[in-house]
Every structure is written in C-alpha cells, then in structure tokens.
Amino acid sequence: MPHTRNRNPSPIPEVTWDTGLKEMNETWKGAIACLGVAVFFVMTIGIIYWQVVDQPNKNWILKGSFSGLIWERRSQTLVIQTLTEDKTFVEIDVGNVGNPDTEVPFVRNLCWLNKTEFCYTWDSVADVKISLDIPDMLHQTECYSMKWTPVHCHVHLKDCFSMSNVSWYGGASVVMPSWPINEANISMQAFVMSDLRDNPLGYGSVLERYFLGSSGEGASHTPPPRRQGMHPKCRMCVAVMVAPQVPLLVGVESRQQFCLQSGSSLERPPLQYTVCVGENLRDLHQEVAPQRSLPTRELPNLGILRQTFWKFLPDEDSGLTVERELRTFSNRLKRHHLGEGVISLNEHSTSLLVNMDHDYLYSKRGMSKRQSRDLAFVKLLNISVTLSPLLRVDTRQFQSSMRDGTEAFWLSRPSSSQGRPVPLLMQWKGKYCVKLNLSNPEAVNWFLERVNVLQAHLGMEYVILEGGEGSLFEDQAPQYTQALSGDEYVQQLVELAGRIGDTTIVTSGTRSSHKPHFIQMGPLQSDWSYAGIKGIIPALLHHSLLGYNFVIPDAVGGSLWEELVTDEELFVRWLEIVAFLPVISFQIPPWDFGEDRTLNLTRFYVSKHQDLVVPLIMKYADVWQTSGDPIYRPLWWMNPDDQVTFTVDDQFLIGDEILVAPVTEKGATHRDIYLPGTDCQWQDLNNAKVFNGGTMLYNYAVALDEVAIFLRRNS
C-alpha cells in the first residue's frame, strides 16, 4: 500500500501571533513618534542654518552683456559688477529703507517673466522696480533704471553711493569747489539753488542731477610706467542721472558717500534715477550726459570773448556823481592803455544814472521830462547793467504794487480770507524780497518793457540777469508754486534772457546749457583757499562737465572782501588763471597796485587772451556745438585710464591742444605738473622745452610773472 502523507498538520496558535503583533505596534509607535520629532527638529535647524549661515550672501538680480546687478543681503547693498564678479562698478547702500537691522533675502522677483526687470516689495515699506536697458553692440554701456515708491507717506527713501575707490564729479556748485567732489561735506538738504552769499552751506548757481564716477587705486601723483605696446587698464566707470521732476535731497559725506533722498508727503514721491556703467570715463560721459539729450545747442554771442569786464562800484548816492566818476574811470582805462572794455553797473548805479529812483523801474507811470534826460556820454560807452526779477519788500514800489492791482506779478498764494494773492517771501542779498511770477505773461511783458526803457536811456550792450539762485521759504511755498521756486524757475528765467537777446548774461543754470548765453560764475573770496583762488579751476571743470562752457569767472582777486585787497601776488596769480578763461573780469583796478609791474602784466595777459585764447575757444565752440564735447577739459579727458589724472584740480586743458598749469600757492615759484597722454609730446611755450606725455615734472619753475602753458604735439 502506498504510503500516504498526513494531511492534517498542527495548527498555528493564533493567540500567540496576535499577542506578538500588538506588542510590536506599541513599541514602534513610540519610536516613530520620536523619530518624527527629531526629523522636524533637524529640518528646522537646517532651515535656520541655511537662512542665517549657509544662504549665499550674493544674489544676482539682473544680468546684462558684461555687467550685472547683485543683492548683498548682509550689507543691504546693491552692487553692479562685471559678470565674472572680479570688478565692481558701484555700490549702492539701500539699507536706510525699512528696518536696517533686519536681513532681507531679496531673492523673489515679482517680475520673473521679464528677464530685464526686477520687482520687489521691501519690508512693506517701499516698492522697487529695476529695469535693465540692453545696449546696442556699438556702445559698451549698460543702464539700470531704478524707481523706489513708498508704500505710505511717512517714508524717506534714501540711497547712498560709495566713494570708496571712486572719484565722483558733477552735482552742484558749492562755496568751496573740489575736483572730484569726494572732499566735500554737505548736510542732507533740498537739491535746489541758493545764493551762496546768504547760504554758504547750500548748493550754488549751477546745478544738474548728474554724477559721474571712475574707480581707481586712489589719488596718486606718480604716473604709471610707460611700456611699448601696453594696453590701458580697464576702468570701472559709472554715471548717475536723477529724474528731473521728482523732489530730491542730496547730501555728501566727505570721502565716504553721497546720498540721494526723496521727500515725504501725501503724494508719496518716488526716488527715481538711472545708473549707467562702462569701461571708459570719457565715452560714458559722451553717451549719457544729460546735456546730450537737450535740444540743439546754440552758440552765444561770441563777441563777448574779446571784451574785458570792469565792475564799477561807486560809493555815491547821486546820479550826477555816478556819471562824473564813470567818465573818470573810462578815461583812466584809456590812459593806461587797457582798452575801453565793458563797464558793469549794478542795479543801484543804473537807477541813479538814469536820474530816477527804484520807483520808476517798478512803476506803471510814464517818464517825466526830468526822467527823460539824455545821457549822450554814457551811450558812447560799452556798459552792462544788472537786473533781477526780485523786489525788496521795504520799498515804496512794492507797496504801490499791492495797491494798484499788480500783486499777481509776484509769486503768490491765494489768501483764504480776502481771496487776493499774497506774495511769497524769499531772502536775497540779506534782504526780504518778492519774486517775479515768470508764468504770468503780463508780468514778463512788464519786465521786458523796463529793459527797453533802460536801453533807450543807456544804450547798454549787455544785461546781466541774476536772481535765479534764490529759493522761496519752504514753509511758505504751496505745492503749486514749488516748481516755480526751483529748477523750473531758473529755466523760465533763462527763457526770459533769450527774449532780451543773445548778449544777456545769466548767473544760474540747470538743464539750460544748450541756451545761447554766457553764465557768470559765483563770487569767490580774496584769499588762497578753495573758497578763493584754488577754487577757480575746480569750478571751471565743474561748469564745463555739466555743459556750461561759456563762463565769466569772478573778478580778478575775488569779489568777496571786506577790506581793499592789497595782496599783489594774489592779484597776479589770479590774473594768470582767468587770462585763459573765456572772459577776464576786474573789480579791483590794476593801477591800485602801482603804475609798473601789475599794470604791465595786466596789459600782457589781456593781449595773450585776445591772441591765443579767444581763437582756441572759437575753434572748440564749433566742436561743442556739433558733438557736445567740452571746451575746457579735465586731464582725464585725454587718457581716461590714467588714474593720476582723476584728482588733478589745478590744471586744465583747452580742447586737446593747450594745457594750463598755473600757480595757486602763496609764495610759490615752482610746482609739480603732470602731462597726460601716452601718444603725444608737450612743448612749454615759455621756453620751448619738449616733454613726453605721461610725465610728471617735479618742482617745475614758474616765476611770478609766468603761467606754465604747454602745446600738444603728436609723437
């Protein structure tokens, strides 16, 4: 019989298996719970570690063809660098927005669909939008347009540009000009013009929302070695242009940074500017400078170049006495063979000379027979008169204006009680004044009529139109007149000058460098400081960089003095500088220093100005009109890669032909002179010696009656 297998095996005890499974679940439940808590704890620590320690400090925001914008979260700084991150164009500290103690990752781009835009809301305080302008292949320039908009009305937006290893130029004229502006120290204040005589800590009469910077290894007076075939070092250059219509405050911290700040108001004004970068300072300026985008550049009446201006300041209060002294002064100019020139009268002398007081100039009444006296001798002279759109409030003519219904001629605000306009006050030359409303056609025609009256009486050749520098008191100016009290008013004043004629000289300028007018530079002290003679060349280079080439410098020896200037050396050194500027102006007559050396030197440099300088200016005036390139140029214009040239503030170029290196140190008869360029030579016009470009001439002899002048020659 076949063997059969037992088909009934022992059953597995179910109770034993059930009990074991239950015990295992209870054990592992605790283990899994502990493991979950541990994993959560580790993940939390990891996230915190990544955010605080391991997260990259730099985040790329935008990238161009050769530059990019980076956010540095620890320093809260926007940095424009090369794509290889080995060179920095500019650092912008934006940590003043929101809470500076809170790190902002700043990595989420709300405009992520557009690779040329970046949008972000900063700490619920401000919205920022940054746009990258892609250049064409012909220009090595890239621009980043930045617009910060406050979320609420109590926010002050403030961005600061580092001066570390960057030489900055541009902005506004100041009482102590410096070139570059790194040495300036100006408190944060409204970026509007002011009369520096009343407000020496403010901004002066030429102002543009434009800053230009170039990186270097710091100031150096040792030129780099010259090597055959050596390529220039690549420089990191940057230009900052602030939008013209937004309220702006600017401050400068010496050698640290300059800052742009918006004002706070219910309108929540934005902080809006554009930063452009490139690798050549001259090329960058030529491409993005604001004056390049202005309408066609117009040449002024260049006949002024051949005129010498003599300020006539009689200490008299009688028209007949002024006329007699004017005759005497004219005769002395002829006797000393100084030519006739242009005799400049201030407003008070003008009023006395036409035998009328200030009442007539601001009156609606016609002339009486006594007032219509013909001044035949005065008409034979070349004279200039000084006018302004300002009227002192302590005069009878102002009171008459308030009575005869012409109060609307002045910048005003309506009165809530009477409904009549209330003129707004400002300070001008230490006096409280009202300001002509240039947006009122009747007021403008009234002013032009007064100019015609003076022309009929005096036959003046030139009109000096001042008064754009003053600003209304901020707490008085309502919103609708603020534009007329700042840049807009200056532009309207320049338009008024155009209606008077191309022989009108203005004393202030903003966004008006293309207009056909000479501009009077600010007054300087009669000393050897940067508020005096040392400030002439920095101020000249500042005006020229901003597009204002046709300048009339302050009078030889300075015009801000309490006592008569007796420093003959200062007078001579001052004369030697302004002889190479467009116009020579005097307030102290040279015969006050005697009849010999100073008079002879005055005649010599007036003649040199006519023979050498005027033809050069006329030549490069055509270049300026065509290309916008300045007539007076800093040394870095010839070689923008030469860091030695960045801080030279006592030399200048006329075009590319003449280098002028005057002496500005008291008692000095030697000075160091740097000759720029690597492909040219320079010939001293005093002794015919020839030197290679890129050479520093140490302790070079310059006698008291000389100024170092070099003519460029091709190698």
Side-chain angles (χ1 to χ4, degrees):
M1 171 182 285
H3 178 74
T4 58
R5 182 178 293 181
N6 188 0
R7 298 178 181 270
N8 186 22
S10 299
I12 298 174
E14 296 180 3
V15 176
T16 302
W17 279 99
D18 291 341
T19 303
L21 181 61
K22 290 180 180 179
E23 290 177 356
M24 188 180 296
N25 285 342
E26 292 296 332
T27 302
W28 281 97
K29 281 182 180 179
I32 292 173
C34 292
L35 181 61
V37 172
V39 169
F40 177 78
F41 180 76
V42 170
M43 290 179 62
T44 303
I45 295 297
I47 292 172
I48 295 174
Y49 178 84
W50 178 79
Q51 287 185 339
V52 177
V53 179
D54 197 43
Q55 183 182 2
N57 181 44
K58 294 183 178 180
N59 298 109
W60 286 96
I61 292 177
L62 294 172
K63 288 186 178 182
S65 60
F66 65 87
S67 71
L69 184 64
I70 294 174
W71 168 244
E72 290 191 354
R73 65 184 183 88
R74 294 195 185 101
S75 61
Q76 301 202 22
T77 302
L78 289 171
V79 182
I80 301 179
Q81 290 185 330
T82 56
L83 295 181
T84 55
E85 300 186 46
D86 59 337
K87 294 178 181 178
T88 298
F89 290 97
V90 65
E91 297 179 4
I92 310 171
D93 179 7
V94 298
N96 299 283
V97 179
N99 184 359
D101 299 325
T102 303
E103 288 191 1
V104 181
F106 211 93
V107 293
R108 275 193 313 140
N109 184 1
L110 302 181
C111 300
W112 59 272
L113 288 176
N114 190 336
K115 293 185 178 181
T116 63
E117 288 188 351
F118 178 86
C119 307
Y120 188 78
T121 299
W122 178 290
D123 201 22
S124 300
V125 172
D127 295 327
V128 61
K129 181 177 181 180
I130 305 174
S131 302
L132 171 63
D133 296 332
I134 303 297
D136 56 48
M137 299 302 295
L138 297 177
H139 301 95
Q140 289 298 310
T141 302
E142 292 181 342
C143 297
Y144 299 82
S145 299
M146 305 193 185
K147 183 176 182 180
W148 295 84
T149 305
V151 174
H152 53 81
C153 60
H154 299 293
V155 174
H156 290 275
L157 302 171
K158 181 179 177 182
D159 288 1
C160 296
F161 295 78
S162 173
M163 289 182 172
S164 177
N165 202 34
V166 181
S167 297
W168 286 98
Y169 314 93
S173 54
V174 293
V175 72
M176 293 185 67
S178 61
W179 181 270
I181 65 172
N182 296 43
E183 298 295 327
N185 196 11
I186 306 172
S187 62
M188 183 66 69
Q189 58 185 286
F191 198 57
V192 295
M193 295 179 184
S194 60
D195 181 7
L196 295 179
R197 289 166 293 193
D198 292 331
N199 181 23
L201 301 180
Y203 296 111
S205 58
V206 168
L207 176 150
E208 298 290 345
R209 298 181 172 203
Y210 174 66
F211 300 87
L212 182 69
S214 180
S215 66
E217 300 302 324
S220 171
H221 293 285
T222 303
R226 298 185 62 194
R227 300 192 185 107
Q228 294 296 328
M230 181 181 68
H231 295 285
K233 293 177 63 178
C234 179
R235 291 289 167 194
M236 301 295 101
C237 307
V238 57
V240 180
M241 295 81 69
V242 185
Q245 303 300 333
V246 297
L248 179 67
L249 290 81
V250 176
V252 182
E253 299 176 28
S254 178
R255 302 185 183 183
Q256 301 296 319
Q257 60 186 7
F258 75 90
C259 299
L260 310 176
Q261 180 176 310
S262 67
S264 62
S265 69
L266 294 177
E267 287 75 21
R268 296 184 297 151
L271 179 60
Q272 186 174 355
Y273 57 88
T274 299
V275 180
C276 294
V277 297
E279 297 181 350
N280 184 291
L281 190 59
R282 181 188 59 231
D283 293 348
L284 180 64
H285 174 71
Q286 288 175 322
E287 186 170 347
V288 304
Q291 60 263 29
R292 304 277 172 163
S293 61
L294 292 172
T296 304
R297 289 174 285 273
E298 303 175 66
L299 289 174
N301 188 324
L302 297 181
I304 299 179
L305 295 172
R306 298 193 178 276
Q307 302 290 350
T308 302
F309 279 69
W310 302 88
K311 292 186 177 181
F312 180 67
L313 302 174
D315 188 19
E316 300 292 343
D317 203 26
S318 163
L320 291 175
T321 305
V322 170
E323 184 180 4
R324 183 172 60 250
E325 289 194 11
L326 185 61
R327 186 186 300 269
T328 301
F329 186 80
S330 175
N331 290 335
R332 294 197 73 171
L333 288 176
K334 295 176 181 177
R335 190 179 75 198
H336 291 299
H337 305 288
L338 293 171
E340 185 177 350
V342 177
I343 302 176
S344 296
L345 307 177
N346 59 20
E347 281 190 274
H348 183 62
S349 296
T350 301
S351 301
L352 294 175
L353 196 57
V354 295
N355 199 20
M356 62 180 82
D357 58 17
H358 254 176
D359 261 342
Y360 179 73
L361 291 177
Y362 294 95
S363 170
K364 298 180 70 175
R365 299 188 298 270
M367 293 182 296
S368 67
K369 291 182 179 180
R370 178 173 175 270
Q371 291 170 334
S372 63
R373 176 176 178 268
D374 187 32
L375 298 171
F377 168 74
V378 175
K379 288 184 177 180
L380 296 176
L381 302 176
N382 288 333
I383 66 170
S384 69
V385 299
T386 302
L387 302 175
S388 73
L390 296 143
L391 178 63
R392 286 167 45 184
V393 298
D394 59 354
T395 57
R396 293 196 305 269
Q397 54 270 27
F398 173 71
Q399 300 300 326
S400 299
S401 173
M402 297 300 293
R403 290 193 301 268
D404 62 15
T406 59
E407 64 270 19
F409 282 14
W410 317 108
L411 289 178
S412 309
R413 63 179 176 186
S415 170
S416 58
S417 58
Q418 300 178 355
R420 298 183 62 185
V422 177
L424 299 168
L425 295 180
M426 64 164 290
Q427 197 171 37
W428 173 251
K429 297 183 179 180
K431 303 294 184 180
Y432 291 107
C433 301
V434 290
K435 203 167 189 176
L436 192 69
N437 184 358
L438 297 179
S439 64
N440 184 336
E442 291 186 14
V444 171
N445 291 334
W446 168 85
F447 188 87
L448 292 173
E449 181 185 343
R450 270 58 203 166
V451 175
N452 292 333
V453 169
L454 292 176
Q455 178 66 42
H457 275 70
L458 302 177
M460 69 274 190
E461 296 290 333
Y462 304 98
V463 173
I464 300 175
L465 189 59
E466 61 180 10
E469 303 91 323
S471 296
L472 302 172
F473 293 116
E474 292 183 4
D475 58 344
Q476 293 193 68
Q479 186 65 31
Y480 67 89
T481 61
Q482 283 182 356
L484 295 180
S485 67
D487 295 355
E488 292 294 331
Y489 192 89
V490 174
Q491 290 182 288
Q492 291 189 9
L493 191 64
V494 174
E495 293 292 336
L496 176 63
R499 295 184 63 178
I500 296 174
D502 63 358
T503 57
T504 306
I505 299 164
V506 297
T507 61
S508 56
T510 181
R511 287 181 286 157
S512 57
S513 62
H514 60 294
K515 293 295 184 179
H517 302 291
F518 277 74
I519 186 165
Q520 177 82 50
M521 297 172 69
L524 295 171
Q525 296 178 10
S526 300
D527 58 33
W528 295 87
S529 71
Y530 277 94
I533 188 172
K534 285 187 178 67
I536 300 175
I537 296 177
L540 170 69
L541 296 176
H542 169 79
H543 280 68
S544 185
L545 181 76
L546 299 182
Y548 300 92
N549 292 272
F550 303 99
V551 297
I552 300 179
D554 193 24
V556 173
S559 61
L560 296 180
W561 42 269
E562 297 180 358
E563 299 180 359
L564 185 64
V565 177
T566 58
D567 190 340
E568 183 180 7
E569 180 190 4
L570 177 67
F571 184 92
V572 170
R573 290 302 193 190
W574 204 300
L575 171 64
E576 291 170 349
I577 298 175
V578 300
F580 294 88
L581 273 55
V583 177
I584 304 177
S585 175
F586 292 92
Q587 181 165 305
I588 307 166
W591 55 77
D592 280 2
F593 297 97
E595 300 289 327
D596 297 323
R597 182 173 67 173
T598 303
L599 263 174
N600 289 333
L601 285 174
T602 300
R603 286 190 285 264
F604 173 79
Y605 280 107
V606 168
S607 177
K608 182 175 284 291
H609 177 268
Q610 299 284 341
D611 298 337
L612 174 64
V613 179
V614 171
L616 272 174
I617 295 176
M618 297 185 73
K619 173 183 176 180
Y620 284 99
D622 291 334
V623 175
W624 169 80
Q625 187 177 30
T626 302
S627 67
D629 289 351
I631 298 174
Y632 290 91
R633 303 172 181 179
L635 265 59
W636 53 253
W637 191 268
M638 287 195 66
N639 189 359
D641 300 302
D642 186 352
Q643 69 184 46
V644 180
T645 63
F646 292 170
T647 57
V648 176
D649 65 354
D650 56 0
Q651 300 175 215
F652 60 90
L653 298 165
I654 305 178
D656 287 333
E657 295 184 40
I658 295 291
L659 183 147
V660 184
V663 172
T664 58
E665 293 289 344
K666 183 177 177 61
T669 55
H670 294 76
R671 61 156 294 169
D672 295 343
I673 300 174
Y674 185 64
L675 304 176
T678 56
D679 59 350
C680 64
Q681 293 180 320
W682 295 92
Q683 182 179 28
D684 188 332
L685 294 183
N686 293 320
N687 56 31
K689 292 181 179 180
V690 177
F691 305 92
N692 290 327
T695 301
M696 178 70 77
L697 305 179
Y698 293 101
N699 206 29
Y700 197 75
V702 186
L704 177 60
D705 59 352
E706 292 181 345
V707 57
I709 318 164
F710 295 85
L711 174 66
R712 182 187 178 187
R713 295 170 46 179
N714 293 327
S715 297

